[in-house]
Amino acid sequence: MTTAIIGTGGIGSVIARQIASGGETLRLSSADLKSARRLAAEIGRAAVVAADNRDALHGAEAVVLALRFTVLKSVIDDIAQSLAGKVVVVPSNPLSADAQGNVSRVLPEGQSSGEVVAGWLPPGAHLAMAFGSMSAGLFESASNRSPKPAVLFYATGDDRAGEEVERLIRTAGFEPAKIGGIEQSGRLEVGGDLHDLVVGPAQAPSLISGA
Ligand SMILES: NC(=O)c1ccc[n+]([C@@H]2O[C@H](COP(=O)([O-])OP(=O)(O)OC[C@H]3O[C@@H](n4cnc5c(N)ncnc54)[C@H](OP(=O)(O)O)[C@@H]3O)[C@@H](O)[C@H]2O)c1
């Protein structure tokens, strides 16, 4: 199967490496394509560099928008016409950094990245919030654990998105665990109670229910 990854920086590159090593074919895109080319060369035959963000979607069932929150809307607007029928997977936390590297939240407390992104997508796109619940290093080191895989939490209210994101999560070497609809996705973000947790499948239900 083929997945587009738009954004090949800190988290996009790790997601790409993990799902490619699980057998997925990738179409990569980034702002100036330099990082996408570097990553494709590293991954090898499983990854190709698209001509641009729209081209990345050709032949892909799903697209991972591994972008900073502040550029997400403009990229979604640019590719909107190609998103009908696609699964859109978003790991973005609603954060921005100033020139000194000070990080701040760009949404009011209580409003999640997922709820805002859902309002930016065109009709017919299938949204899941996933792959942003761990920092990149932790995500990489927690994948393909044995004997039991670690859990990767995701949120969606859309059955098609749920099916596809579960496949991608397993391909990346994790066990998927749904926490609820998009309105729950704030729990996955930096500061959320399910962020940066490495747990096995047996622990997931009580964490999700908050018991
Ligand atoms: N890094 C983490 O540990 C981590 C973990 C969980 C969630 N997240 C979330 O994931 C999101 C991405 O974080 P990151 O650390 O991966 O950011 P990053 O390292 O800055 O990477 C952002 C990527 O977006 C690309 N990009 C920027 N504008 C673009 C455009 N118009 N079209 C296509 N690609 C564009 C950049 O391209 P170039 O490479 O060409 O500049 C870069 O590859 C953030 O919202 C963050 O909160 C990050």
Side-chain angles (χ1 to χ4, degrees):
M1 305 279 264
T2 300
T3 292
I5 298 192
I6 299 181
T8 48
I11 195 69
S13 61
V14 176
I15 297 168
R17 279 198 290 274
Q18 291 307 133
I19 64 173
S21 71
E24 192 78 359
T25 298
L26 304 179
R27 293 180 63 78
L28 306 178
S29 177
S30 66
D32 64 10
L33 298 184
K34 271 194 215 132
S35 69
R37 286 195 193 102
R38 264 197 314 273
L39 182 62
E42 183 194 325
I43 290 173
R45 287 174 45 171
V48 297
V49 180
D52 55 32
N53 293 340
R54 281 185 234 180
D55 180 51
L57 294 167
H58 285 151
E61 285 79 24
V63 55
V64 180
L65 301 179
L67 299 163
R68 294 190 182 199
F69 189 80
T70 44
V71 301
L72 261 178
K73 185 174 189 308
S74 65
V75 171
I76 288 172
D77 288 348
D78 181 41
I79 63 176
Q81 287 191 332
S82 313
L83 286 180
K86 306 274 185 206
V87 172
V88 180
V89 181
V90 178
S92 304
N93 286 290
L95 304 174
S96 76
D98 65 18
Q100 285 71 47
N102 301 310
V103 174
S104 59
R105 213 182 134 81
V106 295
L107 293 177
E109 227 29 71
Q111 187 176 32
S112 68
S113 170
E115 289 164 308
V116 174
V117 172
W120 290 339
L121 289 175
H126 303 275
L127 174 65
M129 296 302 289
F131 290 101
S133 59
M134 288 182 194
S135 58
L138 191 61
F139 177 80
E140 194 154 36
S141 65
S143 65
N144 296 305
R145 281 213 316 186
S146 113
K148 291 257 194 285
V151 158
L152 200 70
F153 297 110
Y154 72 92
T156 187
D158 179 307
D159 290 347
R160 168 80 193 103
E163 194 183 312
E164 178 67 4
V165 82
E166 289 214 352
R167 187 187 71 76
L168 288 172
I169 288 171
R170 289 202 172 90
T171 304
F174 290 86
E175 180 64 24
K178 177 171 168 169
I179 65 161
I182 290 296
E183 74 287 351
Q184 295 293 319
S185 63
R187 298 182 69 192
L188 307 175
E189 293 173 359
V190 170
D193 65 317
L194 299 177
H195 189 80
D196 262 354
L197 291 186
V198 180
V199 297
Q203 291 163 276
S206 61
L207 286 166
I208 292 169
S209 69

